[in-house]
Amino acid sequence: MRRPRWGKSVTFFGNNGASTESPPDSEEPSPPADLTAAATSAIGPADGRRVVVCGSDRTMLRVTTELVSSGERVTAIVNPDSRHYDRIKELGANVMGARVISESLLRRAGVDAADDGTPSTARALVLLDNDDVHNVHTALTARDMDPELRIVVQMVNPRLGKHMNRLLGDCVVINGPSLAAPAFVSDALEDDELTWLDLGGRRLVAGQADLIREPHLTVLADTSSSATPTLLPLSSSDPDGDIVLGTGVRTVWRSRDVRPAGWFMALRDILDSRVRKIAAVMAFLIVAGTGVIHFFGGIEWWRALYLAAGVVTSAGIDDDKFNDAQPWVKVSAVLVQLTGIVLMALLTAVVVDSLIGARLSRLIGGVRGRPRNHVVVCGLGTVGSRVLEILTERGVAVVGVDQDDEAPGVQTAHRLKIPVVVGDSSNEETLRSAGVQRCQSVLAITDGDITNLECAIMARDLNPDAWITMRMFDHDLAQRVERRLGLGHSRSVSMLVAPAVAAAVANRRSQVTVPAGRRVLLLTEVTVEPGSIAVGKRMGELDEAGGLRVLARQDLGEPWDWTPTSGRESRPNGRVPAVERELQAGDRLAVAGTRSGLARLLMATRAQQSSASS
């Protein structure tokens, strides 16, 4: 029997996003009263202003559902042609149908800040279009209309997303593929040893030191004693057994059991059975013709072979010109002429490259050998592309499947030298080509629920022992499939994104839980509020031995600084190191700590009530 899934908490963040999963109550003690009070104060009461959400796909529906259920007043700008239009209206949101988002439309939706400082009716704008260009355009328009508006934007291109804060200021970027891919990988590997998160503007991972790529950012726990591990130690007697924080997993050499087909295998596939049969017939005719010419014509063997080959291949040379030549010269002439025919064929192939390109892509991207114990990823879109990258980092043998040879993941697979089978993932022959009957796990993560369901059913028939994870949008269908068909686990990218968006809209403090034996550490970001005790202090003054460690800081309007404990000397640009600079209101801190340590930090960074108000 397989062990239960998600036995530990694995929390995933979007870029500057929010926690999307909480640890089970059985593994997590109740938070102390002071932390509850501090967290409640950090969230603050709702101000009754609206949240404007723009989009038309399934993520739009999930996010609207999440916001409405959390008590937000939502204005949804939806393309009237969207199949989710009526469903969004039924949720209770104020729906505005529009195919193009303009400045006047945003103003009618609530982005209507006045020149005299009156805030907009809307306090947040959420952009969920699949086109990054449209999202950026709308975000810049909204920022010009209201410099104080909170903007949450979903970006498909993570590189562009990193520059959004510089362009927009108060902006939270959510990247769905980066948010969802670690969850699918964890399912495929039945593994909960690693915790992925976005913290301090960086994509990080926490886990055992022997799994995390060096250099490690910090040691989170010394697990020499599994019952009572030492949290946030200054040094460790067994570094390999520590739980550490790093920027990626250690590179492991992959087994060569799964290899791309390459040109040799492509050539073998091009010379299929029909070509081999024709070649065999031609060879038989040449051999037979050579014998007939030799025995019945009284001509020596080499010349007989030359004449027979010239006749069969239609490449012969007028024999009168070669009566006095040596036989091997005449045979060489035939070979030269055959080479010329091949070269002409190659020239023709260049002209018609557009017609045969897809076929060559299938052949070169195939699978070589008989792969075993690998992971088959069906669906190589943006999510599948990120899944391939993480599996490769983990040293896992993987085969990709997609029917579109121009999909983003296909290009990623070629770059990582991962074999790809181009074909319908619900087709038995396609799955057999990917070695599903001998694989360890199957990830059916195409954009279609039915395609993923068909793929899962076919994979179960081919390999009853494989662990199958499906990507399904329809929550009710997913539950019934899991319960009645027993096809494995199912996940939805939109359901992972929606809580992160809702937390970003509410400006809630987000945190990730890292288990360490019977204890836990929390990693989160905290803002220094005006008038708080932390203003004027240095970073080191906030650290607590075994209770809290400040990992990085972000000064207001500046990028994150992850070198707070580097040398005391000034930087090359003359700037004082982060560890020496006094904290100012608006600065953000990336921290790791226990519950009590984090509670004390929240109280230290929270604005103090004046005696007059009390």
Side-chain angles (χ1 to χ4, degrees):
M1 179 179 295
R2 297 181 181 272
R3 56 186 173 85
R5 310 297 303 147
W6 302 98
K8 298 179 183 177
S9 168
V10 180
T11 308
F12 304 100
F13 284 56
N15 295 338
N16 297 325
S19 169
T20 61
E21 294 193 27
S22 300
D25 294 337
S26 60
E27 290 191 21
E28 197 66 32
S30 299
D34 57 350
L35 176 59
T36 303
T40 302
S41 175
I43 295 174
D47 56 9
R49 296 162 68 192
R50 286 191 169 273
V51 177
V52 180
V53 186
C54 305
S56 299
D57 62 359
R58 59 188 64 180
T59 303
M60 172 72 174
L61 177 58
R62 293 289 191 201
V63 169
T64 304
T65 302
E66 186 79 18
L67 291 173
V68 171
S69 63
S70 62
E72 298 283 1
R73 299 173 59 200
V74 178
T75 295
I77 301 179
V78 188
N79 189 322
D81 297 331
S82 171
R83 62 190 182 94
H84 304 297
Y85 184 89
D86 294 333
R87 179 68 182 120
I88 293 174
K89 183 178 294 186
E90 293 172 0
L91 294 174
N94 177 28
V95 178
M96 301 175 64
R99 292 179 174 83
V100 178
I101 299 177
S102 62
E103 182 174 341
S104 60
L105 181 64
L106 289 175
R107 194 171 301 280
R108 286 191 287 117
V111 185
D112 52 3
D115 295 336
D116 60 3
T118 303
S120 294
T121 306
R123 64 180 173 85
L125 173 66
V126 181
L127 303 173
L128 302 173
D129 199 301
N130 289 324
D131 190 330
D132 286 350
V133 175
H134 290 169
N135 285 338
V136 172
H137 187 189
T138 305
L140 291 174
T141 302
R143 176 59 71 229
D144 291 339
M145 298 170 64
D146 185 355
E148 303 299 325
L149 181 70
R150 185 167 183 80
I151 299 177
V152 181
V153 56
Q154 177 180 251
M155 299 294 294
V156 177
N157 186 339
R159 292 187 298 274
L160 180 59
K162 293 180 180 178
H163 301 288
M164 291 301 291
N165 281 326
R166 188 184 308 166
L167 291 173
L168 301 174
D170 184 14
C171 173
V172 178
V173 178
I174 304 289
N175 181 260
S178 296
L179 193 72
F184 287 112
V185 171
S186 186
D187 278 353
L189 302 182
E190 300 181 80
D191 170 46
D192 52 9
E193 296 179 351
L194 298 177
T195 303
W196 294 85
L197 65 151
D198 279 319
L199 185 70
R202 302 177 74 175
R203 183 69 173 169
L204 305 177
V205 58
Q208 293 291 331
D210 57 349
L211 298 177
I212 306 301
R213 183 173 62 230
E214 294 182 346
H216 301 150
L217 298 178
T218 190
V219 179
L220 298 177
D222 179 0
T223 58
S224 300
S225 173
S226 59
T228 57
T230 303
L231 301 182
L232 302 174
L234 296 178
S235 60
S236 173
S237 58
D238 181 22
D240 290 338
D242 291 341
I243 297 177
V244 301
L245 184 68
T247 57
V249 295
R250 190 184 299 272
T251 301
V252 180
W253 291 106
R254 289 188 294 148
S255 167
R256 299 302 295 173
D257 290 341
V258 180
R259 292 172 289 178
W263 286 104
F264 177 78
M265 298 299 293
L267 182 60
R268 189 191 68 174
D269 289 340
I270 292 175
L271 301 177
D272 57 15
S273 60
R274 294 171 300 173
V275 175
R276 290 193 292 269
K277 289 177 181 177
I278 294 173
V281 172
M282 292 179 65
F284 172 77
L285 292 176
I286 291 174
V287 171
T290 301
V292 170
I293 294 174
H294 173 72
F295 289 110
F296 293 95
I299 300 176
E300 63 273 17
W301 283 106
W302 280 109
R303 186 178 179 189
L305 176 62
Y306 161 71
L307 294 174
V311 172
V312 172
T313 62
S314 300
I317 302 176
D318 187 1
D319 190 54
D320 292 337
K321 296 182 180 181
F322 289 90
N323 285 332
D324 299 329
Q326 296 293 327
W328 65 268
V329 175
K330 297 179 179 180
V331 174
S332 298
V334 174
L335 295 178
V336 170
Q337 289 192 347
L338 288 175
T339 303
I341 294 175
V342 172
L343 291 175
M344 290 300 298
L346 291 177
L347 179 61
T348 305
V350 171
V351 176
V352 298
D353 179 71
S354 60
L355 299 177
I356 64 174
R359 177 59 179 166
L360 288 177
S361 176
R362 289 183 175 89
L363 295 172
I364 297 171
V367 182
R368 182 178 179 181
R370 294 169 58 85
R372 294 181 181 275
N373 301 321
H374 57 293
V375 176
V376 178
V377 180
C378 300
L380 301 181
T382 53
V383 176
S385 177
R386 182 58 185 146
V387 168
L388 292 182
E389 292 176 341
I390 297 178
L391 287 172
T392 301
E393 290 178 356
R394 296 291 303 274
V396 177
V398 57
V399 174
V401 179
D402 200 291
Q403 63 180 0
D404 181 9
D405 56 3
E406 297 296 330
V410 174
Q411 312 307 317
T412 300
H414 289 331
R415 174 172 55 85
L416 298 175
K417 296 185 177 4
I418 294 174
V420 176
V421 177
V422 179
D424 186 357
S425 59
S426 61
N427 182 273
E428 179 179 354
E429 188 61 33
T430 300
L431 294 179
R432 285 187 178 276
S433 299
V436 166
Q437 62 274 27
R438 298 177 301 276
C439 73
Q440 174 186 341
S441 301
V442 176
L443 295 178
I445 54 177
T446 70
D447 292 333
D449 286 0
I450 297 302
T451 302
N452 292 334
L453 179 58
E454 291 177 343
C455 175
I457 293 174
M458 185 61 64
R460 173 63 70 229
D461 291 340
L462 294 175
N463 187 351
D465 295 328
W467 179 259
I468 300 174
T469 300
M470 294 175 291
R471 175 184 176 184
M472 301 199 75
F473 169 75
D474 193 315
H475 184 62
D476 181 68
L477 175 61
Q479 286 185 323
R480 296 180 186 278
V481 167
E482 288 186 36
R483 183 173 64 251
R484 294 187 175 275
L485 300 182
L487 290 178
H489 201 57
S490 63
R491 292 198 171 275
S492 169
V493 175
S494 58
M495 290 191 71
L496 292 171
V497 171
V501 172
V505 167
N507 199 21
R508 292 199 297 263
R509 180 178 53 82
S510 51
Q511 65 186 33
V512 58
T513 303
V514 178
R518 296 177 63 86
R519 307 180 67 182
V520 295
L521 276 174
L522 302 177
L523 281 77
T524 187
E525 296 175 7
V526 177
T527 301
V528 179
E529 298 181 4
S532 64
I533 299 175
V535 174
K537 291 183 177 293
R538 291 183 173 87
M539 292 174 54
E541 298 178 55
L542 300 178
D543 286 347
E544 296 181 14
L548 184 79
R549 180 173 297 166
V550 179
L551 305 174
R553 68 179 287 177
Q554 181 187 36
D555 295 344
L556 189 63
E558 297 291 335
W560 280 92
D561 190 340
W562 273 87
T563 55
T565 58
S566 60
R568 305 287 182 178
E569 69 279 358
S570 297
R571 303 291 176 81
N573 59 7
R575 193 180 185 193
V576 178
V579 70
E580 292 293 328
R581 297 197 303 273
E582 294 182 351
L583 294 172
Q584 304 295 327
D587 291 351
R588 291 181 64 82
L589 303 175
V591 300
T594 61
R595 289 186 180 278
S596 57
L598 181 58
R600 287 188 288 271
L601 177 66
L602 287 174
M603 290 186 288
T605 56
R606 189 176 59 195
Q608 302 296 305
Q609 295 182 352
S610 63
S611 58
S613 62
S614 58

